[in-house]
Amino acid sequence: MAPALWSCLILVLFSGLVASGFPRSPFRPVGKRSLPEGVVDGIEVYSTKISCTVTSRFAHNVVTTRAVNRAEKAKEVSFDVELPKTAFITNFTLTIDGVTYPGNVKEKEVAKKQYEKAVSQGKTAGLVKASGRKLEKFTVSVNLAAGSKVTFELTYEELLKRHKGKYEMYLKVQPKQLVKHFEIEADIFEPQGISMLDAEASFITNDLLGSALTKSFSGKKGRVSFKPSLEQQRSCPTCTDSLLNGDFTITYDVNRESPANVQIVNGYFVHFFAPQGLPAVPKNVVFVIDISGSMTGRKIQQTREALLRILGDVKENDYLNFILFSSDVTTWKDSLVQATPENLQEARAFVRNIHSGGMTNINDGLLRAISMLNKAREEHKIPERSTSIVIMLTDGDANVGESRPEKIQENVRNAISGKFPLYNLGFGNNLNYNFLESMALENHGLARRIYEDSDADLQLQGFYEEVANPLLTNVEVDYPENAILDLTQNSYQHFYDGSEIVVAGRLLDEDLNSFKADVKGHGATNDLTFTEEVTTEKITLWNGAVQSTFSWLDTVTITQDGLSVTINRKKNMAVSFGDGVTFVVILHQVWKKHPDHHDFLGFYVVDSHRMSVQTHGLLGQFFHPFDFKVSDVHPGPDPTKPIATMAVKNHQLTVTRGSQKDYRKDASIGTKVVCWFVHNNGEGLIDGVHTDYIIPSLF
C-alpha cells in the first residue's frame, strides 16, 4: 500500500501548491517604438526553454520563460505550465529587471488560504489546478511595467514510471505565440544502458518534426533536442500564430541483462525489478459496468465498443463474467466461464445488447462480483495458479441501495479481504473520484479517470491492456534486516508485463556498497526467486549460517578444514584447496569517474593441471593438454591479424591470430599474450555447441 498511498498524497499536496508574495512592478512609461514580430498585446515572450535531466528514471525539469513588455503602459504577464500529475514542484522564482523573488511551496489547505489572501491584497500568486488527463496546471501572473523584463523559472521533479515497456516523459507545449528562442532539451543517464529512445509531438507533422528534432543515444547516455525556428513554429507560411500547441512525449527503455538492478548512492538505494520472458498468469476478470440512465448515449456506446475490443484480447485460459448495475444488478452468467471461442462469441452478443436506464447501485454490483470470485476460488472452478481482478466502470455517485461512500468502502474492503485488487474507472467529471480512488487504493488497485472524448473507448481498452498480462503474483522483495533502516512498499499483489517494481530505502551503514536482495513471486507454472547482489566492494564468506565480511582494503588469510582464503589488499582473493588447485578472483578497478566502465571481478584458475582429468565445462575441458596443429599461416583482411588452419579433434578450423590480456602477474594492466582465435563460437574446438554451456542462473 505504501507507494500507492504515497503517490496519492503527492497529488493532494501538489494540487494545492502556491507561490506567493511577489510585489507588483511599478508603472514606468517609455517612448513610442515599433513592435517586433511575436508581440501579443504588447508582451513579447522571446525565450522559452524546458531543460530535463533524467538520472535512473528520476526526472529534474526546469521551465524558464523570458518576456518583455513592449507596450507603453504596464501590462499583466501570465506564466502557465502544465505539469504531470505525478510530479511535484521544488522551486519557483520570479525575476523582474534583475531582482529575483523566490516563491514558497505550501500544502493544500494552507496554500489555498494564502493564495486567496495574496490575490485580495493585490499581490502576485500562483496556484496549481487540475488540467486534463495527465496534467496539473500552474499559473502565475505579474503586473509588468512598460519596458520591463521578467523571467519565470519553475522546477519540478518526477519519478518516471514504466508503462507498456517504456518510460514516458510527458511535456505540454503551449507558448500561445511565436517565440524567438524556443527549446526543449533532455539529457538521460541510465546506469543499465539505454536500449531505445524516441520522441514525438502531437502538434506537428513528422516531416517538420524531423527538421527541428535531434535524438541520439549510446551506452548509458541519451539526448533529445527540439529547437523549432520561427518559420517552423508558424501555423502557416504567412501566419503570425504558433502551431506549437500539444504534447511532446519522450519515451525510452533500458538494457536488462538481469531482471533486477540495484543502485546505491550516499547511503540510499533504489531497486528496479522488471523480469522479461515470463508466461502470463491466467486471470479471472469480472467487469462491473454502470448502466444507469446517466450512461445513456455516447457513454454506453463507447463502453460497448471498448468491451468488444477487450474481448478480442482475452486469452483462452482466462475466465470472465459481466455484472451490470443500475437500480438492480444483473449478470451475464451465474458464475465465471472460461474464455473459449464459443463463450467469447456469446459474450460479444451480450455486450452488443447492453442498454442503459435506472439509478446507480454501486454497492450491490461490487459485492456480487467479489462474491462470484470468492466462490469460484473456494469451489476450485478456476485454475489454482490464476489471479483474480475486479474492474468497475461508473459515471456517477451511488444513489440507490447503500449510497454512503464510507459504508460502501467498508463493505468492499471486508468482502475482498486483501485477496485480489479492485480497479475503478470513473467516466467523466460528474462523480466522486476521490471515493473511487480511495476504495481502489485500499484494495491494492488504482483508479483512473476516463475522459468524455471521442477516444473514450480507446482509453478503456488502454487501461485493460495495462493489466491484461500479469506475470507474477504475491511479489515480495526481501532485504537483510540488519542492513536496511527505511523502506518503501516492498510487496505487490501483481507484477504486470511492461511495468516495473521500484523499491527505495535507506541503508543502516552509509558506507555499505553491497547487500543481497531477493524477489519472490508466484509465476504461471512455478514459484520464482530472483537474487541481486552488488559484489565488487565487499567480500562475504559463509561457513554454514556463520558469515564473515571483509573489504578489498583488507589483507587477511583464513584457513579451515583444508580450505585457504587469502585476500590481498586491492588486488585479489585466492582460494586454495589443500595441495590442489587454486582459484583467484582479481578486482579490476577503473577510474571512479569513468562514464562507462565500472570495477569488475575476474575469475581465474591457477595450476589447472591439478584438476581431475574428468573435469569438463567450457574451460575445464582444456585444463589438460590435447593435440592440435596450426599450418598454412597467411595474411588476412587485417594485415596485423594473420589467418591459419588449425587441425584439432579431427576438424580443420580457420583461426585468426590476435592477443588477450593475462592478469595473473599484473592485476591492473595485465600482460599481452599472443593467441589464436577460433570462429563460430568455438565450433569444432569445444565439445558440443556453445549453447550447451549456457545456464539461466548459477543458483
Side-chain angles (χ1 to χ4, degrees):
M1 283 291 292
L5 185 59
W6 177 73
S7 62
C8 177
L9 182 62
I10 283 179
L11 287 174
V12 170
L13 297 177
F14 179 69
S15 64
L17 294 176
V18 62
S20 63
F22 306 117
R24 292 188 181 272
S25 177
F27 173 81
R28 187 171 74 231
V30 297
K32 290 185 177 181
R33 55 197 177 278
S34 61
L35 298 180
E37 185 178 34
V39 176
V40 176
D41 193 25
I43 300 299
E44 179 190 2
V45 177
Y46 59 90
S47 175
T48 293
K49 183 174 182 179
I50 304 174
S51 298
C52 311
T53 303
V54 181
T55 303
S56 299
R57 289 78 149 172
F58 192 80
H60 176 90
N61 306 300
V62 180
V63 183
T64 306
T65 291
R66 292 180 168 87
V68 59
N69 183 0
R70 300 288 189 189
E72 297 182 1
K73 61 180 181 180
K75 288 282 186 177
E76 184 176 77
V77 184
S78 294
F79 175 69
D80 297 335
V81 179
E82 296 193 56
L83 314 172
K85 290 185 176 181
T86 53
F88 53 95
I89 294 174
T90 56
N91 191 44
F92 176 71
T93 60
L94 180 66
T95 302
I96 302 176
D97 291 338
V99 181
T100 299
Y101 305 92
N104 297 314
V105 177
K106 301 292 185 181
E107 293 188 8
K108 182 180 181 180
E109 294 305 322
V110 175
K112 187 175 180 180
K113 291 178 181 178
Q114 290 195 7
Y115 173 78
E116 293 171 349
K117 182 179 179 181
V119 171
S120 68
Q121 294 176 348
K123 294 182 180 180
T124 301
L127 188 68
V128 178
K129 297 181 179 179
S131 179
R133 299 183 185 182
K134 301 182 179 180
L135 301 173
E136 301 275 358
K137 189 171 186 176
F138 174 88
T139 301
V140 65
S141 299
V142 62
N143 196 50
L144 192 65
S148 289
K149 292 183 177 180
V150 61
T151 299
F152 302 94
E153 184 174 283
L154 179 72
T155 303
Y156 68 94
E157 299 176 346
E158 65 170 324
L159 177 65
L160 304 180
K161 289 189 175 183
R162 192 164 185 256
H163 174 72
K164 296 184 180 179
K166 299 175 183 178
Y167 302 99
E168 180 181 84
M169 185 156 52
Y170 186 83
L171 305 172
K172 187 72 172 181
V173 177
Q174 196 176 21
K176 299 180 182 178
Q177 64 186 86
L178 299 177
V179 180
K180 186 176 180 181
H181 301 289
F182 184 91
E183 181 179 3
I184 296 175
E185 285 189 346
D187 290 291
I188 303 170
F189 176 79
E190 288 290 348
Q192 290 173 258
I194 298 173
S195 63
M196 65 78 62
L197 174 64
D198 199 6
E200 60 182 21
S202 65
F203 49 83
I204 194 170
T205 65
N206 288 334
D207 290 341
L208 289 175
L209 179 65
S211 59
L213 174 71
T214 59
K215 54 187 178 181
S216 62
F217 70 95
S218 177
K220 301 176 182 180
K221 296 181 179 179
R223 181 175 176 80
V224 173
S225 177
F226 177 59
K227 298 181 181 179
S229 65
L230 278 175
E231 297 307 313
Q232 291 171 323
Q233 294 177 42
R234 298 182 192 275
S235 59
C236 73
T238 58
C239 294
T240 58
D241 58 329
S242 175
L243 60 74
L244 303 186
N245 184 3
D247 308 327
F248 187 84
T249 307
I250 299 172
T251 55
Y252 75 93
D253 201 13
V254 301
N255 296 320
R256 301 181 190 279
E257 296 180 358
S258 63
N261 177 259
V262 179
Q263 297 175 23
I264 303 175
V265 179
N266 298 329
Y268 293 84
F269 77 91
V270 60
H271 184 182
F272 303 101
F273 178 73
Q276 301 180 97
L278 299 176
V281 176
K283 60 186 179 297
N284 318 302
V285 187
V286 178
F287 298 93
V288 183
I289 307 299
D290 182 350
I291 59 167
S292 60
S294 57
M295 288 284 290
T296 299
R298 184 63 173 149
K299 287 183 184 178
I300 201 68
Q301 179 185 343
Q302 290 179 317
T303 299
R304 287 194 296 263
E305 292 170 355
L307 291 176
L308 290 172
R309 286 195 180 96
I310 288 171
L311 286 172
D313 295 333
V314 174
K315 297 177 177 61
E316 189 166 355
N317 57 352
D318 292 339
Y319 285 70
L320 78 158
N321 205 341
F322 294 99
I323 292 180
L324 312 179
F325 68 90
S326 54
S327 301
D328 300 312
V329 176
T330 58
T331 63
W332 171 46
K333 298 287 185 181
D334 293 335
S335 61
L336 290 164
V337 297
Q338 188 174 354
T340 62
E342 296 78 16
N343 285 336
L344 288 177
Q345 184 176 354
E346 187 178 343
R348 293 186 185 96
F350 174 80
V351 167
R352 291 189 183 100
N353 285 303
I354 291 177
H355 298 286
S356 56
M359 302 182 75
T360 308
N361 192 342
I362 292 176
N363 183 78
D364 290 358
L366 282 175
L367 293 183
R368 180 77 63 88
I370 297 167
S371 174
M372 185 178 293
L373 286 169
N374 285 335
K375 184 177 180 181
R377 179 70 68 186
E378 293 167 1
E379 297 179 355
H380 305 287
K381 292 184 177 179
I382 51 179
E384 186 66 27
R385 283 191 176 274
S386 64
T387 186
S388 299
I389 299 173
V390 175
I391 299 177
M392 180 183 73
L393 171 69
T394 182
D395 76 331
D397 298 333
N399 54 21
V400 67
E402 179 55 70
S403 59
R404 293 170 295 173
E406 66 279 2
K407 185 61 178 178
I408 296 174
Q409 283 187 238
E410 179 185 344
N411 293 341
V412 170
R413 183 174 60 249
N414 291 338
I416 292 181
S417 298
K419 293 188 288 291
F420 45 81
L422 166 65
Y423 296 103
N424 289 330
L425 305 180
F427 206 146
N429 296 310
N430 299 322
L431 46 76
N432 185 347
Y433 186 77
N434 290 336
F435 158 62
L436 297 180
E437 185 173 52
S438 176
M439 182 164 58
L441 290 174
E442 68 181 9
N443 289 288
H444 305 288
L446 56 85
R448 181 75 53 82
R449 191 185 293 276
I450 304 300
Y451 291 85
E452 294 184 56
D453 291 337
S454 59
D455 67 341
D457 53 333
L458 298 180
Q459 296 177 52
L460 290 166
Q461 183 188 13
F463 172 80
Y464 175 77
E465 290 173 352
E466 293 181 43
V467 300
N469 294 298
L471 302 184
L472 293 171
T473 63
N474 299 323
V475 181
E476 296 283 344
V477 188
D478 297 326
Y479 306 94
E481 292 183 1
N482 59 353
I484 307 299
L485 273 178
D486 300 309
L487 198 64
T488 59
Q489 178 183 354
N490 65 326
S491 62
Y492 297 83
Q493 279 205 339
H494 293 96
F495 169 76
Y496 294 105
D497 189 23
S499 66
E500 182 176 60
I501 287 175
V502 181
V503 181
R506 184 157 63 102
L507 300 173
L508 183 64
D509 179 3
E510 290 189 2
D511 297 323
L512 182 68
N513 286 299
S514 174
F515 65 92
K516 185 163 63 174
D518 290 327
V519 183
K520 302 176 182 179
H522 302 313
T525 57
N526 56 4
D527 294 345
L528 302 171
T529 299
F530 305 86
T531 299
E532 184 76 9
E533 185 170 11
V534 184
T535 59
T536 60
E537 296 294 334
K538 296 205 173 184
I539 303 167
T540 303
L541 305 177
W542 281 274
N543 179 15
V546 181
Q547 69 176 41
S548 302
T549 302
F550 307 92
S551 77
W552 286 103
L553 298 177
D554 296 324
T555 298
V556 63
T557 299
I558 301 174
T559 302
Q560 182 177 342
D561 299 331
L563 172 68
S564 176
V565 178
T566 300
I567 301 172
N568 298 305
R569 176 183 169 86
K570 288 189 175 182
K571 291 184 178 180
N572 59 49
M573 179 181 71
V575 181
S576 301
F577 297 90
D579 295 329
V581 72
T582 297
F583 301 91
V584 178
V585 180
I586 295 179
L587 173 63
H588 297 288
Q589 293 181 302
V590 299
W591 179 44
K592 290 295 183 185
K593 295 184 180 180
H594 195 290
D596 298 315
H597 298 156
H598 298 276
D599 295 355
F600 66 96
L601 304 177
F603 187 83
Y604 305 89
V605 181
V606 181
D607 300 327
S608 58
H609 64 280
R610 294 180 181 273
M611 299 287 285
S612 165
V613 294
Q614 296 181 349
T615 300
H616 204 267
L618 190 59
L619 299 179
Q621 60 187 294
F622 303 113
F623 282 168
H624 294 275
F626 60 91
D627 296 327
F628 71 95
K629 182 179 179 181
V630 177
S631 61
D632 189 25
V633 180
H634 57 278
D638 185 342
T640 65
K641 297 180 178 180
I643 294 176
T645 298
M646 175 183 286
V648 59
K649 297 184 178 179
N650 297 321
H651 296 289
Q652 299 290 321
L653 308 179
T654 299
V655 293
T656 302
R657 177 70 67 92
S659 64
Q660 273 283 22
K661 288 290 188 74
D662 182 351
Y663 292 96
R664 288 177 294 183
K665 295 181 179 180
D666 188 334
S668 59
I669 300 177
T671 303
K672 186 176 180 180
V673 178
V674 177
C675 55
W676 291 103
F677 285 85
V678 180
H679 302 278
N680 300 324
N681 296 311
E683 183 179 350
L685 176 66
I686 63 174
D687 295 340
V689 295
H690 73 283
T691 54
D692 296 337
Y693 303 91
I694 298 175
I695 58 175
S697 173
L698 289 176
F699 306 101

